Amino acid sequence: MDDLPPPLVLEILSRLRDSGDVARCRISSKTLNTLASEIRSVDLQCSYLRYAKSRSPLTRSSITPFKSIFHKLISQLRIVERVSIGVGKPLGLVAYDDVEDEEDDLFLSDVNFVKAWLPNVCGDLASVSISDFWVQSCWRRSDVLSVFSAHCLKLHELEIKNAWLSVDGLTPLKTLTSLTLEFIRLDDENLEKVSECFPCLRILKLIGVGGLKEPKIDLMHLETCHWSLSNAPISISIIAPNLISLNLKCVKPNMLMIEAPFLSKFYLTFEGTCNFKVKEFSHLEHLYIESTNLRNVLVSLPLFKSVKNLIVDSPRWEVPVGVSKSIFELLLRAFPNVNALTLNSGAWSEFEACPVVEGSTQIKGLKEIRLYLSVDDVEATLSAIFTLLDHCSDLSTMSMFIHRDVVSNVTSTVISQCTARCPRLRWKWGMWKQKMMDSWMSDPM
């Protein structure tokens, strides 16, 4: 190692994800010890094993407090551009009811703790990630947002998880372009302070943020938004004239209002139905929609003429009673220009229960269909598939994924009868066990 060029050694050290590994390298070599001070990031995560040892009467006295280790590591660096500190995932799963913990050594959004290290490194700090220990942070209110806004004039990216955050004293921070708040109790019930003090956000992730009543996102520069609400607010509003990608998960809102004229990719999942109030999405091409009440949602949706790629699902569906239109017809009414359609298992089951397509109408423009099948009744499944084939004259590709628990002879029957019924199509076959939609928002379609 001592024979390698110093820039290469520094590059190797900089690529170590765990700053604890860097500290161990410093002890092993004078060269490494000298060069390590040039590293510009600290990444320290508390493991479950370390936490357990710090609580055990047999090992507690030999364990250096986690905050003390962090202080030492960050004080050894000349320039700090990135800080990531938190608890490991297994420790993050520890429930408050499972442990009585009055300690604060893993209360990492503690203002006093942050103020002890931040002023010395804030001049070059561009990225901060804090993953708190919920057992210690959930009952301790933190003003750490105002501390970062006051000290970090070059901060571009901020991520905080598992904490109770206040917006008292929060001041505008125009350098911040990416904000992630995950499993947060937030004292900003309508998101007014977030929108006001972080006006230049381009990426916003609010995952499981509680305490919201009538939240409104109003951000001029926002391009990507992932918003998962943990409660049922009265109304939800998004005003983002430059928004391109939106992933929204909500629970029975009375009103959903969206103004995002350049929205191109939209992942929407919610329970129940709501009153949609949207301006026309003339650029929306990719849409995923999931609802426990899919049929009523489709009836209430406005017309989406620009959607080309559509994925729908219904996690809990019931056999429709007294209906005259199938899910397929409702989809094509709301999305008349779609050319690629995916029906996940719930949506397909609902269509299979009522596969009526009115008259002999030919559906033009639909080029590709992808289905996720459970095949509880092979005859009903085949009948529904044939109904689609008879009404889609422009169809060129049919992809079918059959649940892996379906017996092989049933799968063979479906494949042979489908290919015989319509040999002109390009058929694609596969198996599925569970829906893999988590990467949908980041992958090209």
Side-chain angles (χ1 to χ4, degrees):
M1 182 69 74
D2 291 339
D3 296 332
L4 294 176
L8 180 57
V9 176
L10 181 58
E11 179 67 20
I12 294 172
L13 288 174
S14 299
R15 290 177 180 269
L16 293 177
R17 291 188 174 182
D18 186 350
S19 292
D21 292 337
V22 176
R24 285 183 279 274
C25 288
R26 297 184 74 143
I27 298 173
S28 66
S29 164
K30 290 184 178 180
T31 300
L32 294 179
N33 185 49
T34 302
L35 291 173
S37 63
E38 301 298 323
I39 294 175
R40 299 194 172 193
S41 65
V42 176
D43 190 338
L44 190 64
Q45 307 297 313
C46 181
S47 67
Y48 183 85
L49 180 60
R50 180 184 214 329
Y51 170 77
K53 287 182 176 181
S54 70
R55 294 300 184 271
S56 170
L58 299 176
T59 56
R60 182 168 188 163
S61 60
S62 63
I63 299 298
T64 305
F66 185 73
K67 289 180 178 178
S68 299
I69 295 175
F70 177 80
H71 277 301
K72 183 175 181 179
L73 288 173
I74 202 167
S75 65
Q76 293 173 336
L77 304 182
R78 294 194 309 108
I79 297 174
V80 179
E81 297 176 342
R82 188 181 69 86
V83 168
S84 179
I85 182 173
V87 298
K89 286 186 178 181
L91 185 54
L93 297 175
V94 174
Y96 184 80
D97 294 337
D98 295 339
V99 60
E100 293 182 6
D101 196 333
E102 297 293 330
E103 304 290 339
D104 66 352
D105 55 323
L106 293 179
F107 176 33
L108 305 176
S109 60
D110 177 18
V111 168
N112 292 328
F113 167 64
V114 174
K115 283 184 175 180
W117 59 265
L118 184 63
N120 296 325
V121 301
C122 62
D124 296 284
L125 198 59
S127 174
V128 173
S129 174
I130 297 176
S131 180
D132 231 322
F133 184 34
W134 182 245
V135 172
Q136 295 184 5
S137 64
C138 65
W139 55 281
R140 292 179 166 111
R141 186 171 178 262
S142 172
D143 294 329
V144 73
L145 286 177
S146 63
V147 176
F148 285 121
S149 68
H151 290 84
C152 302
L153 303 183
K154 293 184 179 181
L155 193 64
H156 295 300
E157 182 179 5
L158 177 60
E159 177 183 79
I160 303 179
K161 299 179 180 181
N162 311 319
W164 175 11
L165 299 180
S166 166
V167 292
D168 289 349
L170 185 61
T171 55
L173 184 58
K174 295 184 178 181
T175 59
L176 197 70
T177 57
S178 177
L179 175 65
T180 297
L181 301 179
E182 187 170 331
F183 300 115
I184 295 293
R185 176 181 174 184
L186 183 65
D187 292 349
D188 186 12
E189 62 184 27
N190 295 325
L191 296 180
E192 293 175 348
K193 271 289 188 179
V194 168
S195 294
E196 174 189 347
C197 294
F198 304 128
C200 297
L201 287 178
R202 296 183 182 276
I203 300 172
L204 177 61
K205 297 179 181 180
L206 302 174
I207 314 298
V209 175
L212 305 178
K213 292 186 177 180
E214 295 187 61
K216 177 180 179 181
I217 292 174
D218 188 353
L219 293 166
M220 176 69 67
H221 303 284
L222 191 64
E223 297 175 356
T224 300
C225 181
H226 185 173
W227 192 4
S228 176
L229 289 95
S230 59
N231 60 339
I234 298 172
S235 66
I236 300 170
S237 300
I238 299 174
I239 301 175
N242 289 291
L243 188 63
I244 296 173
S245 178
L246 174 61
N247 184 336
L248 178 62
K249 182 177 182 179
C250 48
V251 181
K252 298 180 181 178
N254 292 336
M255 172 76 72
L256 175 58
M257 193 276 285
I258 303 175
E259 292 185 20
F262 291 102
L263 190 64
S264 173
K265 207 170 189 181
F266 190 8
Y267 182 118
L268 175 63
T269 174
F270 59 96
E271 295 182 17
T273 59
C274 70
N275 181 17
F276 284 90
K277 203 172 183 181
V278 300
K279 292 190 175 180
E280 184 177 358
F281 296 138
S282 58
H283 293 79
L284 183 61
E285 293 189 1
H286 309 288
L287 176 65
Y288 174 100
I289 184 166
E290 177 181 316
S291 175
T292 55
N293 197 349
L294 183 60
R295 180 173 293 274
N296 289 337
V297 169
L298 294 177
V299 171
S300 65
L301 278 177
L303 196 64
F304 291 90
K305 294 182 179 180
S306 61
V307 173
K308 302 297 183 184
N309 193 319
L310 176 64
I311 303 174
V312 291
D313 199 8
S314 178
R316 297 193 301 271
W317 66 277
E318 298 178 357
V319 176
V321 178
V323 299
S324 59
K325 290 186 179 297
S326 68
I327 284 290
F328 192 67
E329 290 176 287
L330 294 174
L331 287 170
L332 295 177
R333 180 204 63 81
F335 311 100
N337 297 315
V338 65
N339 55 38
L341 173 65
T342 297
L343 297 182
N344 281 341
S345 57
W348 170 255
S349 295
E350 189 156 341
F351 174 75
E352 189 175 298
C354 181
V356 178
V357 177
E358 187 176 356
S360 58
T361 305
Q362 287 296 308
I363 299 164
K364 304 289 185 180
L366 188 57
K367 303 292 186 182
E368 181 178 351
I369 295 178
R370 175 178 293 198
L371 306 177
Y372 288 81
L373 312 177
S374 296
V375 197
D376 298 317
D377 182 338
V378 66
E379 295 300 327
T381 297
L382 287 171
S383 176
I385 293 171
F386 294 161
T387 298
L388 286 185
L389 294 176
D390 290 343
H391 288 83
C392 299
S393 58
D394 292 342
L395 199 64
S396 61
T397 302
M398 193 77 157
S399 302
M400 293 200 193
F401 295 85
I402 300 175
H403 197 279
R404 63 183 301 175
D405 291 342
V406 175
V407 294
S408 59
N409 65 313
V410 171
T411 298
S412 298
T413 298
V414 173
I415 293 174
S416 61
Q417 293 207 29
C418 286
T419 52
R421 178 66 175 253
C422 203
R424 68 173 181 85
L425 288 183
R426 182 175 59 167
W427 291 91
K428 296 181 179 179
W429 302 95
M431 291 190 301
W432 69 279
K433 183 178 180 181
Q434 58 185 9
K435 298 187 297 296
M436 300 296 291
M437 300 304 302
D438 293 342
S439 63
W440 184 81
M441 291 299 291
S442 58
D443 294 340
M445 300 183 67

